[in-house]
Amino acid sequence: MNRRDFLATSATASTLLASSAFTPAFARARSKLRIGLIGVGMRGQVHLTELLRREDVDVVALCDVEPIMLERSLAMIAKAGKAKPTTYGADGDLDAYRAMLAKGGLDAVIIATPWEFHAAQAIAAMQAKVAVGCEVVAGLTLDDHWQVLRAQQSTGTPYMLLENVCYRRDVLAALNMVRQGLFGEIVHLQGGYQHDLRGVKFNSGNPDQPYGSGVEFGPKAWSEARWRTEHSVKRDGDLYPSHGIGPCAMAIDIHRGNRFTHLSAFSSKPRGLHDYIVKKAGPEHPNAKVKFKLGDMVTTQLLCENGETIVLQHDTSLPRPYSLGFRVQGTDGLWMDLNESIHIEGKSQPHKWDKAADWFAKYDHPLWQRFASAAADAGHGGMDFFVINAFVEALKADAPMPIDIYDAIAWSAITPLSEQSIAEHKTLEFPDFTNGKWKDRKPIFALNDRY
């Protein structure tokens, strides 16, 4: 099925199973959505690309405080032959999104701004009864997370964390194998964010060279280096947990018969970012005097109600190839993405690895079987198609969010909890954000070939 055929038939998507975290905001299914974007920088434009390809979405509003990003987004919309949306924020007003929400007429917003704005913007949208698709990191402090949760619960407005790695093809194939019992009872999982971001955290300030073009950050820099690097200066914890924890949580039904109970975290010494500056610009550059707080390797351990253990690693300041380090291990075998291998007892040769690709070809998830061609040219190897598709289709069907408010809050809260654990040198009890609902809620994520 090509993208056009898919979009023509997508309005017939069936409703998912009910979820206790979801109170319908629309109370009826609909075939087309009016969506606004809060933040149309480089990540926001990736989402905009996917939205513009759909016939079931009208992009009616854009908000950003960088005029150049608004201009580039408007050019994308014009090139796609779509109607020009109303724009907000070109005057630099950080609260311009409130005017966008106050105007009304929006079914949903996509939030793709710097992390520190996510909580306030999501809360404002939910209070305006506008559904939220929020980029990863739901908030900074633990209190932020509680406030976002309470806003969703009090308003009943749909909220989805746009965690695209949950839709990675090998991740979904592994989940399919888990659900079919190939690994036996799951005992241990690993994941993380192991990505050399030195060229992302620093640049020259040139909008056309956002990656690796210099050693500036903050006001002199551009894009993520303008805001993201400051977190490495002031904070020490797992600053980006959802890529790793999302697939692990789905594999063991967190919040759906299971939950996180305890967390402990450790941090290495910080050396990588300073070393990068010295190597590129010399020891006399002003930024070579900056003291970075974020440890180069942050390791977080979680214990779950049903006895599983999880290890997450945050590694963004040292030279390394990209890897999320997934490991799914059970009583009958395991998958490790670092060596792209699987071993299933009784099916693999004793003490020998099989190529993961051979198993994944057999257990390719139905979502990928159906939509691989539609996702072929989407960002992040197709994952960005799936996460936007899931958000749009669930809203159209007035169905539960596949990655819902409880997932969003718990996965993102790993950051402030890891910061506290490192600072206090102790294991923490993990908050039960569901207030006991985890015992009776049922899995819904990727249970069909719709979304």
Side-chain angles (χ1 to χ4, degrees):
M1 178 179 288
N2 61 35
R3 185 182 294 270
R4 182 178 297 275
D5 291 338
F6 152 65
L7 294 176
T9 60
S10 60
T12 63
S14 60
T15 302
L16 290 172
L17 298 174
S19 165
S20 58
F22 179 84
T23 302
F26 299 144
R28 64 181 177 87
R30 56 189 61 198
S31 60
K32 198 164 191 176
L33 301 177
R34 292 166 57 86
I35 293 182
L37 286 88
I38 304 176
V40 289
M42 298 184 70
R43 184 59 183 155
Q45 289 173 30
V46 171
H47 291 313
L48 178 60
T49 298
E50 289 306 307
L51 293 171
L52 291 175
R53 288 170 169 163
R54 304 184 68 100
E55 299 302 324
D56 54 0
V57 166
D58 286 331
V59 176
V60 298
L62 303 178
C63 181
D64 202 290
V65 295
E66 295 289 352
I68 188 172
M69 290 302 166
L70 286 172
E71 291 168 6
R72 291 180 179 181
S73 298
L74 289 173
M76 291 169 62
I77 293 168
K79 185 177 180 180
K82 302 295 181 74
K84 182 179 179 180
T86 306
T87 60
Y88 301 82
D91 59 355
D93 181 7
L94 292 176
D95 287 326
Y97 69 93
R98 296 186 184 278
M100 186 177 92
L101 295 170
K103 184 178 179 181
L106 289 170
D107 296 314
V109 290
I110 301 291
I111 296 174
T113 53
W115 301 336
E116 49 264 39
F117 301 117
H118 288 187
Q121 290 168 348
I123 290 169
M126 288 188 287
Q127 289 174 341
K129 292 290 186 176
V130 175
V132 172
C134 187
E135 261 300 329
V136 295
V137 180
L140 298 187
T141 67
L142 195 58
D143 184 60
D144 285 343
H145 291 80
W146 281 111
Q147 288 189 40
V148 172
L149 174 62
R150 288 165 182 152
Q152 194 283 327
Q153 291 174 327
S154 65
T155 65
T157 310
Y159 179 112
M160 178 172 168
L161 192 74
L162 300 178
E163 179 43 73
N164 59 0
V165 175
C166 287
Y167 292 93
R168 206 171 86 174
R169 193 164 196 166
D170 58 347
V171 165
L172 275 179
L175 177 63
N176 195 24
M177 293 178 68
V178 168
R179 286 178 171 162
Q180 295 193 41
L182 271 295
F183 299 115
E185 182 180 357
I186 302 302
V187 174
H188 176 74
L189 304 102
Q190 292 181 195
Y193 191 56
Q194 301 179 120
H195 188 183
D196 181 358
L197 293 182
R198 296 173 300 167
V200 174
K201 293 182 181 182
F202 302 103
N203 60 42
S204 65
N206 183 347
D208 295 320
Q209 295 180 314
Y211 300 132
S213 57
V215 296
E216 300 296 343
F217 72 95
K220 294 183 179 180
W222 182 254
S223 190
E224 289 176 75
R226 181 170 287 182
W227 58 268
R228 186 170 186 167
T229 314
E230 193 67 23
H231 292 276
S232 298
V233 176
K234 296 180 178 179
R235 306 172 70 194
D236 191 15
D238 188 332
L239 301 186
Y240 208 62
S242 66
H243 281 352
I245 196 60
C248 294
M250 292 305 186
I252 53 174
D253 296 329
I254 294 298
H255 304 140
R256 299 159 182 91
N258 200 1
R259 75 177 188 97
F260 307 133
T261 62
H262 294 82
L263 176 148
S264 65
F266 298 89
S267 176
S268 76
K269 56 189 175 184
R271 294 292 184 269
L273 297 182
H274 169 79
D275 190 60
Y276 179 80
I277 294 167
V278 170
K279 286 177 178 177
K280 286 187 72 74
E284 302 306 316
H285 191 281
N287 286 344
K289 308 299 189 294
V290 174
K291 301 295 183 183
F292 294 95
K293 188 175 182 180
L294 177 65
D296 291 342
M297 176 66 77
V298 177
T299 302
T300 302
Q301 303 173 93
L302 294 116
L303 180 65
C304 302
E305 181 72 28
N306 293 343
E308 304 91 348
T309 54
I310 303 173
V311 173
L312 302 177
Q313 291 186 307
H314 182 270
D315 170 10
T316 63
S317 302
L318 298 170
R320 61 160 299 124
Y322 175 86
S323 171
L324 299 186
F326 286 118
R327 175 171 170 176
V328 178
Q329 189 162 12
T331 54
D332 290 339
L334 75 162
W335 163 53
M336 295 181 67
D337 82 332
L338 282 174
N339 61 354
E340 299 180 345
S341 297
I342 284 175
H343 176 85
I344 303 295
E345 190 171 54
K347 299 180 183 294
S348 306
Q349 293 185 32
H351 306 289
K352 299 288 186 180
W353 291 104
D354 297 335
K355 292 181 180 179
D358 295 339
W359 283 94
F360 289 160
K362 182 178 180 181
Y363 290 96
D364 196 22
H365 194 278
L367 278 169
W368 271 94
Q369 292 179 40
R370 182 177 183 188
F371 295 129
S373 61
D377 55 351
H380 290 92
M383 295 185 292
D384 291 331
F385 162 80
F386 284 99
V387 74
I388 288 294
N389 181 63
F391 179 62
V392 170
E393 292 296 338
L395 282 180
K396 284 166 51 183
D398 200 29
M401 290 291 103
I403 303 175
D404 69 11
I405 187 66
Y406 294 135
D407 301 320
I409 297 305
W411 300 355
S412 179
I414 289 171
T415 297
L417 291 170
S418 67
E419 291 180 274
Q420 181 183 349
S421 176
I422 290 167
E424 298 178 1
H425 304 286
K426 68 180 184 181
T427 298
L428 306 175
E429 291 189 6
F430 204 99
D432 178 8
F433 293 105
T434 75
N435 193 29
K437 294 184 179 69
W438 63 270
K439 298 176 183 178
D440 300 315
R441 299 174 76 235
K442 304 301 181 185
I444 63 170
F445 179 76
L447 281 177
N448 59 30
D449 66 351
R450 298 287 185 176
Y451 47 93

